[in-house]
Amino acid sequence: YHLKRFLIERQTLASLQYPFIARLLDGGQTDEGLPYLVMEYIDGVPITEYCNQNDLSIIQRLKLFRDACSAVQYAHQNLVVHRDLKPNNILITKDGEPKLLDFGIAKILSAEGERFETVTQRGAWNLTPEYASPEQIFGNTITTSSDVYSLGIVLYKLLTGHNPYKFQSVFHSDISKIITQSEPAKPSEIIFKT
């Protein structure tokens, strides 16, 4: 069952041919029968780091972010929800192009409405809490809106230099409470404080 889902995921990822998405180059099985993927190597840095290192203006940051969003939109049009969008998964190359990578916990949606989860256990936290949507935190149904939420957090960090939430604990219950019950400061408030 898991192998079938992996093969479906590999085929779907192989079909994602877009300039701002790292390409799947190969896949197969080891001698022990374990499946593997070989992805294009991206020589780049996280989008936030790139923007800061190059002292990009707000307009330049927004243009890079827009290109990254186009990659996510393309994935969504091909029935793939990334589920782990964060600066480290949006690398900027030396040529200044974003590359979306790490579809390791992506969710494949079939055209028939059947959802294929990757080989992650339901209820397990296979996510990055700082960028996770409330439905991911609670283990609810994941849709494209989960990626949109995560992109909003990436944009917040791109524009302010800060994450909207501050975690004081690593416990799931504390993180869930902060994400679902606290109101982050408006980006303008963060910018004018610093």
Side-chain angles (χ1 to χ4, degrees):
Y1 176 71
H2 293 300
L3 182 59
K4 178 183 175 186
R5 289 193 321 198
F6 179 84
L7 294 174
I8 290 168
E9 177 182 353
R10 184 176 73 189
Q11 185 61 38
T12 302
L13 294 178
S15 71
L16 294 181
Q17 300 294 320
Y18 194 75
F20 303 137
I21 296 178
R23 292 185 323 270
L24 175 66
L25 300 175
D26 196 9
Q29 286 187 2
T30 65
D31 292 339
E32 294 80 24
L34 298 173
Y36 68 86
L37 300 174
V38 178
M39 300 294 293
E40 169 188 17
Y41 173 75
I42 304 299
D43 186 12
V45 296
I47 189 169
T48 48
E49 190 177 320
Y50 180 86
C51 289
N52 293 336
Q53 285 175 352
N54 293 285
D55 199 26
L56 296 188
S57 69
I58 290 175
I59 298 296
Q60 291 169 316
R61 290 168 190 252
L62 290 175
K63 285 181 181 177
L64 265 182
F65 182 74
R66 181 190 60 202
D67 289 343
C69 287
S70 74
V72 175
Q73 179 184 17
Y74 176 82
H76 289 174
Q77 289 170 339
N78 285 276
L79 305 175
V80 176
V81 180
H82 189 282
R83 297 200 310 176
D84 196 24
L85 291 169
K86 58 187 176 185
N88 287 352
N89 286 339
I90 305 170
L91 297 185
I92 309 301
T93 67
K94 293 173 185 170
D95 296 331
E97 283 195 345
K99 288 284 189 175
L100 184 61
L101 56 121
D102 194 2
F103 285 83
I105 64 167
K107 182 177 189 174
I108 311 302
L109 305 172
S110 76
E112 296 79 34
E114 182 180 2
R115 290 181 170 88
F116 292 99
E117 300 277 350
T118 54
V119 189
T120 56
Q121 294 178 328
R122 183 159 176 74
W125 264 29
N126 295 301
L127 51 83
T128 305
E130 293 87 350
Y131 296 92
S133 66
E135 56 269 21
Q136 287 177 283
I137 296 293
F138 287 122
N140 295 336
T141 301
I142 303 300
T143 65
T144 55
S145 63
S146 297
D147 280 352
V148 173
Y149 182 93
S150 298
L151 283 170
I153 294 177
V154 171
L155 179 60
Y156 188 103
K157 185 156 188 174
L158 270 179
L159 297 178
T160 67
H162 300 277
N163 283 4
Y165 303 108
K166 297 197 182 341
F167 300 118
Q168 308 296 326
S169 165
V170 295
F171 293 108
H172 290 194
S173 59
D174 294 337
I175 292 171
S176 298
K177 191 175 191 177
I178 289 169
I179 290 176
T180 60
Q181 296 179 13
S182 66
E183 188 73 30
K186 294 177 184 174
S188 57
E189 293 172 3
I190 297 291
I191 291 171
F192 293 122
K193 276 185 184 178
T194 56

